[in-house]
Every structure is written in structure tokens, then in C-alpha cells.
Amino acid sequence: MESVYILGGLRSHIGIKNGVFKNILPEKLGAEVLKELIFKYNLHNIDEIICGNAVGTGGNIARLMSLYAGVSEEVPAYTVDMQCGSGSMSIDMAFAKIRSGMCDLIIAGGFESSSLQPLRYYNKNDPRYSDEKPYFQVAQFSPYEDQENVMLMGAERVAQKYNMKKEELDFWVLESHKRAAKARNKRILNDIICSIGESDYDEGIRNRINQRLIDRLKPLVSENGFITAANSSLTNDGAAFVILCSERYIKNNKITQKAQIVQTALKGANPLYSPESSIIVTDELLKSRKMKYSDISAFEFNEAFAVIDVMFQRKNPTLIDRYNTLGGALAYGHPYSASGAIIMLHLLKSLEYVDGEYGITTVAAAGGIGSSILIKRS
């Protein structure tokens, strides 16, 4: 089987909903990043573009984005929808195609616009249709429930199941913003970010967040619940892509890779407790390689909720300095389908920052599916 490498990648700044990217179509936001990426790495002979999108207008929006970017019509581009895990799944699929020898160069990632998320309408013959509210924004992810706040409810159930304390969740809210602000001040991520339109910073990072502000926030799910606007990520706009290639492509083009993708894993979990899939799939990935958490230099988990952080910390109390070293989605935000590629780019920078060897990205997706990727820094 072919070895699979990461050449590099690029992301946009991450905008908050109705922020700097509020008037930019998601396919055009993705196209701008894709154009910059192809120019920066002087890419030729692209075999495929695999791209996640969860809340766009539907259709093969990745193909539309590719054409807007000026990519040759001969290059196929197609859309993946695994919700929060779409970007990670796109990388996973690209890995499999190159590893099997079917392709040599694939661009994978995702793009999203919460600002321009359309309302979708049920057909009147659909039993879920209601004259009072005929439209929906959040799809049904499991047969057990169909509510707009299903992801918040899943996080709340996990907090209750593990008897999490407010102090544990608050720690990660403050820590995520602190680490992200430090990374921004040190300009660690500058070479993987491109400005689109008037963007010049990630809008979600709060320099002045403090315990008093967190304490003012009311629970979002139930009166005595744990999940608040602080310990859940914002909805965002953004785009990110990673370049994957074969060893043959590297040799033929005399270029140097950033890392090797060693293994990927997908694992289902109870959809009512979807954040749990982050730990379940990471356990599975490490088991498949006969490795331990302590063998990994850096972890990048998609920090959709602080409950994910607390589960990791309880399992690995001595490894929290290796976890989301540059901050997580509680600070940067979570542009759904772009997040898998964003955290992969952050992982590459984290490994460089700590001079580490092995790294893991993990995303817990709606419906209870965990996606995890193990890489080895070159």
C-alpha cells in the first residue's frame, strides 16, 4: 500500500455568525482559500477535491466551489456531509484513495457559513411538517429525538452522566481562550491562515474572558444544567483545506512533506451522547496501532463542548499540556465541516511548536460518530 503524506494546507480566518464573512457565499469563501492554497503550493495534476459542507444549500456544492476557484473542469470535486465530522471524513477518504494507489494528489477539507445557513422546509406530506413551524435548520440525527438543540442536549447528558462539575468545565473555557490568545500573539498560526475580504483575525477569541463573565451565563438546556454559551462553541463561518499526496508525487516533484498519515479510525457511539464518540474513537485508533495516549505528543480534539475536554482530562490527567496546545473551538469557533481540516492544520503547528513526533486529531460528529486521524511528523 502507498504511504500517504500531508504537504501542508491553509485556512481562512474563522468568523463568527453574522461577522466578517456574513455576506460571502460559503462556496465563494471556500473558493478563495482553495485558490490561495493552489498558488502557494504550486499544485499541478490534482486528482480530486473532497470537501465537507453541512449547512449549505445542498447539491454538489464542492464542485461549485471548485469551479469558482478556477480549478480545471476535468478535476472532480464532491461533497461530504458527516456534519461536524465532514472535514475529517474528507481527509480520511483522501487517505484511503491515495493509500490504495487510485490517486496521487487530493485536496481535502471543508467550508461552512452559519451566517448564510438556509431554512429548509418539510414537505406537507412529511409527518414532521407543522403549520406553526414548517421549516427546520437542524436535521434529524437519530430516531430517538428531533429537536433543534439536539447537540446541546447530548452534551448536557454527557455532563450529567459523568457527574461533571462546573469548575471542570469552566477551567477549559478559560484555558482554551488563554491558549488561543497566546498562539495569536506569538503568530504561531500565521503561515496557515489567509485573509479573505476584510478578515484579519479569528473573531471568536476573547482576550478579556474571565470567571465572573462565565458565572453570569444561564444554562441553555435546563434550569439546573451545565451547558452554557461559554462551554459550547459558537456557530461560525470558515474554510480550510489540507493537501494529501503519495510518495511517488513527492519524489516526482522533489518536494518535502510536513507529515505522514499513519492511520485513521471511525467509530459509532450512542447518538444521545454524541460527544462520547471522541474518546471512543481515539481509544480505537490507539488500540489498532498498539499505542498508548502517552505515546502521542499532541492531541487536537474538536472542542465543540467543554465536556469533551473534561472526558479527556479525566482519562489522561497528566497529558493536558499536550491537548489543544494552541487553544480549541471554544475560542476559535466551530465552522462545522471546516473544523476537521482546521484542527489538522493546528496539529501540524502544535507538533512543530512542541517538537513532537506523533499527533492525533479527533472530531465527535452529530449522530454519534467519532473520526480520528493519527499522523507522524516528518
Side-chain angles (χ1 to χ4, degrees), residues 206-234:
R206 303 180 186 94
N207 291 325
R208 297 182 179 179
I209 193 166
N210 56 55
Q211 189 65 51
R212 185 166 55 182
L213 291 174
I214 293 174
D215 290 341
R216 291 178 185 170
L217 298 173
K218 295 181 179 180
L220 296 173
V221 177
S222 62
E223 185 177 347
N224 297 315
F226 290 94
I227 304 305
T228 70
N231 58 44
S232 18
S233 61
L234 298 173

Side-chain angles (χ1 to χ4, degrees), residues 141 228 339:
F141 300 129
T228 70
S339 290

Side-chain angles (χ1 to χ4, degrees), residues 130-262:
S130 164
D131 286 330
E132 294 179 3
K133 189 180 178 185
Y135 63 85
F136 67 96
Q137 284 188 289
V138 179
Q140 184 173 356
F141 300 129
S142 86
Y144 315 120
E145 58 185 347
D146 181 22
Q147 291 91 13
E148 293 282 309
N149 65 346
V150 61
M151 297 304 293
L152 293 170
M153 291 172 65
E156 186 66 50
R157 291 188 192 104
V158 169
Q160 299 282 355
K161 177 179 177 179
Y162 289 92
N163 296 312
M164 293 182 182
K165 295 179 173 56
K166 181 179 182 300
E167 294 76 19
E168 293 178 287
L169 299 166
D170 290 351
F171 169 81
W172 283 106
V173 176
L174 295 168
E175 192 67 15
S176 186
H177 284 276
K178 176 183 174 183
R179 294 181 184 189
K182 180 179 179 182
R184 183 174 65 186
N185 293 339
K186 287 192 169 185
R187 305 169 70 86
I188 293 172
L189 301 174
N190 277 25
D191 64 340
I192 62 164
I193 300 176
C194 64
S195 294
I196 305 297
E198 298 178 357
S199 75
D200 57 9
Y201 63 94
D202 294 322
E203 293 187 302
I205 303 170
R206 303 180 186 94
N207 291 325
R208 297 182 179 179
I209 193 166
N210 56 55
Q211 189 65 51
R212 185 166 55 182
L213 291 174
I214 293 174
D215 290 341
R216 291 178 185 170
L217 298 173
K218 295 181 179 180
L220 296 173
V221 177
S222 62
E223 185 177 347
N224 297 315
F226 290 94
I227 304 305
T228 70
N231 58 44
S232 18
S233 61
L234 298 173
T235 52
N236 299 86
D237 308 335
F241 300 100
V242 178
I243 308 162
L244 285 75
C245 69
S246 65
E247 186 170 1
R248 177 170 53 246
Y249 184 89
I250 286 174
K251 289 180 178 178
N252 289 344
N253 291 277
K254 298 179 182 179
I255 51 180
T256 303
Q257 72 274 13
K258 298 281 187 183
Q260 179 181 0
I261 297 183
V262 179

Side-chain angles (χ1 to χ4, degrees), residues 34 38 44-50 62-63 66-67 70-78 105-107:
L34 184 59
I38 292 171
H44 301 286
N45 301 319
I46 301 167
D47 289 313
E48 294 182 5
I49 297 172
I50 309 175
R63 172 66 168 173
S66 176
L67 295 175
V71 176
S72 169
E73 296 175 355
E74 296 180 356
V75 177
Y78 49 97
L105 180 67
I106 299 178
I107 298 173

